[in-house]
Amino acid sequence: MPNASSLPPGFPTVGIVGAGQLARMTAPAAAALGVRLRVLAGSRDESAAQVVPDAVIGAADDLDALRRLAEGCDVVTFEHEHVRPEHLEALLAEGVVVRPGPQALLHAQDKAVMRARLTEAGLPCPRWAVVSSADEVAGFADGTWPVVLKAARGGYDGRGVWVVGSAAEAEPVLAELASRGVACLAEEKVEFVRELSAQVARSPHGQAVAYPVVQTLQLGGICREVVAPAPGLVDDEAVAAQDVALRIAGLLDVVGMMAVELFETADGRVLVNELAMRPHNSGHWTIEGAVTSQFEQHLRAVLDLPLGSPAALAPLAVMANVLGGDHPDMYAPYRHVFARDPGLRAHMYGKQVRPGRKIGHVTVVGDGPLEPLLDRARHAAGYFMGEILE
Amino acid sequence: MPNASSLPPGFPTVGIVGAGQLARMTAPAAAALGVRLRVLAGSRDESAAQVVPDAVIGAADDLDALRRLAEGCDVVTFEHEHVRPEHLEALLAEGVVVRPGPQALLHAQDKAVMRARLTEAGLPCPRWAVVSSADEVAGFADGTWPVVLKAARGGYDGRGVWVVGSAAEAEPVLAELASRGVACLAEEKVEFVRELSAQVARSPHGQAVAYPVVQTLQLGGICREVVAPAPGLVDDEAVAAQDVALRIAGLLDVVGMMAVELFETADGRVLVNELAMRPHNSGHWTIEGAVTSQFEQHLRAVLDLPLGSPAALAPLAVMANVLGGDHPDMYAPYRHVFARDPGLRAHMYGKQVRPGRKIGHVTVVGDGPLEPLLDRARHAAGYFMGEILE
């Protein structure tokens, strides 16, 4: 570790709870700004801890570990939501600057709290209810199945979401959540035409910027592809989606990046699906595709620096996730994919391959038309995953 | 340090001799590729050692330190030339992969060797001679003063270069170099209209790419501004400059990035001024301005991966260096420069401010015209340096 007294003065230290790929991709932004980064990692082998010298080893649900992370940091922020609100309140009481604050973050942690707050504020949500019995699920369905059940807390990447076709199918879900002490939400299964993501950043003093609205393709609850901007989205629709995200950011006093995952319905409306108060998979395209990446923007927001331009650098960007498949070696494919496509941008997260695990992503940026860009991104991702052999 | 056995297989480790800003700016490229980086740093406080967990502490002119760097690395490369050729030959003999190799690197280390080789190959150089006495300088001048004297080895950022107006003025330079055992070159003082830089990358198997030729502004031997591409350079001239750089890369069996600094004369010819076999200040614009940054390209070349596209992402990019001035705090200026210009890209190197020291740079990328981009970059750099107050 460097000796702090020999480093240039003025530059702050940002502590990130978590050391996955989102923290890893924040490291380049911090290095460019000269901002010092510290991560809270479960081990030295974690994705971000491989590339950040200042890694505090500990668990995100351990108040003592959070205190060790916060010690000497100018601000503590997050790359995931799996942290206890009471621990963050304890840090606040001890004078730690936590951004986003626990009152905001709660809405990304607890879907029941989020739904209640957004509904109260008139923001567009699917029909929803908190349910605790199969009878209540049946009452919510009112004869229209399937119904979506969600764990109010703790889900991610498709975990904690079930689509049930009857009250009987709801039983084991309700039993499992009850056994874990987690509330259950029932939501109408929205007949969406596609999924969108509206990312915004907001500063402590209220400056906010909105990124171009993107289209996301989710399979099995995992983001697979992002197209920026969302094709064919007319200006009014894009502005409406950005407006929803900006209103939520203001309503909840969000600080940092926030992604609002949206359903677009056949009649052109948007409904809020999920919130994430951190950099998000739907914003990875911004590394190469936007003036200011979501990772730098998050740092600027939590540091209360003026926000950077969220404008796109090119008419189109396509991002495709690389999930773990059969092959453990994700380096060898570079020889093929880079030779085939000199414009391909690749990101590998330093994670061991496990089936279905997000281990990297690729991005292509260009003028369009869209189809060749999609083909390039899909080919590269497919080749990494072993689904495409040449 | 992560436990190597728990990291994903296949990804190589690259060792960099040096831990200044060039190594620091290589770290993001390595993190994106999943390539592991190790740097040889004089101390933990050095620019790159602040952001690379795997820093070997030692001196670049210490063979033992070089061996510790090389241990476990798949390839060893450089961010500066201040390393002894005999040490590199020793590493080679021990089986270390060194790229560029010592025989290539020698031409970036010794200007007399470089001049002789390029002249022999018919590549365009200023008139030159090795000189060892004031009489020889006078003979070289043949009545036309001033003459440029250069230390054959060890110079950088304007050090090791003198412009002398008479044989008498040459005396102390010759005496100093003789006392250090360094040969002295005399060169005609080229009446250039501007300076250019042609950057190329080359792989061990001979693949090569050429970046757009840029215009550089040097003051006191220090790069201050880069405009990419060089304004008004007609295609033939750009191709001629790229051709010179590609021929040199092939001739010298360069591996990695190489910058060829050129003088452009009034009649549209280019003459080779200096070579650098590593990422170079004239290529910082590529971080935001090109599909593949010079830092990623250097890694891809030394790893013998297929090279990335060197194409520009926008019609124009302007980079301005930030040099140390009176103010030690380079973070506070962000509040002003970012608020004034949301499109500004800033890079701070984690270096203490010292007068005239390169401590950061800014880049703006856009469609043109050039003048507003120049104004933006100059304003931001000037504000950091305390030369512009609002």
Side-chain angles (χ1 to χ4, degrees), chain A residues 50-325:
Chain A
Q50 294 170 25
V51 300
V52 174
D54 192 359
V56 170
I57 307 304
D61 61 2
D62 172 1
L63 179 56
D64 178 58
L66 292 169
R67 284 185 176 126
R68 285 185 287 120
L69 173 73
E71 174 77 34
C73 281
D74 296 89
V75 56
V76 168
T77 188
F78 309 92
E79 65 133 35
H80 63 67
E81 297 84 12
H82 309 302
V83 57
R84 294 189 193 176
E86 62 269 29
H87 288 174
L88 300 183
E89 295 289 355
L91 294 181
L92 281 185
E94 291 162 17
V96 175
V97 178
V98 178
R99 292 175 178 162
Q103 293 302 320
L105 191 66
L106 183 60
H107 299 84
Q109 295 174 309
D110 190 310
K111 298 185 206 307
V113 171
M114 180 269 282
R115 285 286 182 232
R117 187 75 180 276
L118 266 52
T119 302
E120 179 193 317
L123 286 153
C125 292
R127 195 168 66 85
W128 67 280
V130 173
V131 290
S132 55
S133 70
D135 278 354
E136 286 180 15
V137 176
F140 177 83
D142 196 21
T144 304
W145 298 93
V147 159
V148 178
L149 299 184
K150 291 181 174 176
R153 294 190 178 220
Y156 68 98
D157 277 359
R159 295 183 219 193
V161 178
W162 302 264
V163 179
V164 295
S166 66
E169 280 182 34
E171 289 278 12
V173 173
L174 290 161
E176 181 194 328
L177 293 179
S179 75
R180 285 161 42 199
V182 175
C184 183
L185 258 73
E187 293 187 0
E188 65 170 313
K189 187 164 189 314
V190 175
E191 286 302 313
F192 59 85
V193 292
R194 60 175 170 176
E195 293 183 78
L196 303 174
S197 175
Q199 282 195 297
V200 295
R202 188 172 174 278
S203 298
H205 72 282
Q207 190 195 1
V209 296
Y211 280 84
V213 177
V214 303
Q215 175 176 326
T216 65
L217 174 68
Q218 318 267 342
L219 293 176
I222 296 183
C223 178
R224 297 298 294 270
E225 275 178 18
V226 172
V227 178
L233 197 69
V234 300
D235 282 354
D236 282 359
E237 292 167 338
V239 168
Q242 290 175 323
D243 182 59
V244 165
L246 290 168
R247 282 171 62 198
I248 294 172
L251 178 73
L252 304 183
D253 197 20
V254 173
V255 172
M257 286 293 303
M258 179 176 65
V260 181
E261 295 185 78
L262 297 160
F263 297 124
E264 185 185 357
T265 61
D267 56 354
R269 288 179 309 131
V270 292
L271 299 173
V272 175
N273 182 18
E274 307 274 355
L275 304 184
M277 292 182 197
R278 49 169 170 80
H280 187 254
N281 202 159
S282 65
H284 291 354
W285 69 276
T286 61
I287 297 173
E288 293 91 2
V291 174
T292 310
S293 81
Q294 64 168 345
F295 301 102
E296 178 173 328
Q297 198 76 281
H298 190 72
L299 290 173
R300 285 165 74 152
V302 302
L303 288 166
D304 208 9
L305 287 172
L307 299 179
S309 166
L313 287 169
L316 281 170
V318 176
M319 189 249 20
N321 273 350
V322 176
L323 306 186

Side-chain angles (χ1 to χ4, degrees), chain A residues 29 31-34 296 300, chain B residues 288 334 337-338 343-348 360-363 384:
Chain A
L33 292 172
E296 178 173 328
R300 285 165 74 152
Chain B
E288 292 92 2
Y334 280 152
V337 298
F338 282 156
L344 184 80
R345 312 298 307 139
H347 295 260
M348 285 291 151
H361 76 266
V362 296
T363 303
F384 277 111

